[in-house]
Amino acid sequence: MTGIFRYTFSMNLLSVQGEGALYAALFFLLCVFIVHGVKLAKIGYRTLGKKLPPDPPPKPEKKPEPVYYIVEKKQKRTKAEYSEPKRIKFH
């Protein structure tokens, strides 16, 4: 009974080469999952022993004090006193 089922099943869907390619691809994916699973398990096992120190409690924030600027009012410039103009002679 199983012989007939396997014979008709393989004949209807894939050729022998197709089945081989399918099994090879499935085996490759299985190996990839196993290898990456082992690597991730190693990484997880290493981090179990290392515990991070607890975070220090946050310091209460002080509100910044307001900054005051001293602004002086502009003063008018005093008029300069000029001396008498000198005479210039051209020869």
Side-chain angles (χ1 to χ4, degrees):
M1 184 170 175
T2 22
I4 295 170
F5 176 70
R6 288 184 61 88
Y7 179 74
T8 56
F9 179 74
S10 64
M11 289 297 287
N12 289 336
L13 293 179
L14 293 174
S15 64
V16 175
Q17 293 87 359
E19 279 188 34
L22 181 67
Y23 288 139
L26 290 175
F27 185 69
F28 175 75
L29 289 175
L30 178 69
C31 290
V32 167
F33 286 136
I34 290 173
V35 167
H36 286 292
V38 169
K39 284 187 177 186
L40 289 175
K42 276 186 184 178
I43 292 171
Y45 182 72
R46 277 191 236 142
T47 58
L48 284 178
K50 298 177 185 177
K51 290 189 178 179
L52 297 175
D55 292 336
K59 295 180 181 177
E61 294 182 18
K62 294 181 180 177
K63 292 184 179 178
E65 296 180 10
V67 178
Y68 299 103
Y69 296 100
I70 299 174
V71 180
E72 293 182 5
K73 191 174 182 181
K74 285 189 176 179
Q75 296 177 357
K76 285 189 174 182
R77 190 182 295 178
T78 57
K79 290 187 178 181
E81 295 179 13
Y82 298 107
S83 60
E84 288 292 321
K86 294 182 183 178
R87 286 192 164 233
I88 300 174
K89 291 183 185 180
F90 296 100
H91 294 280

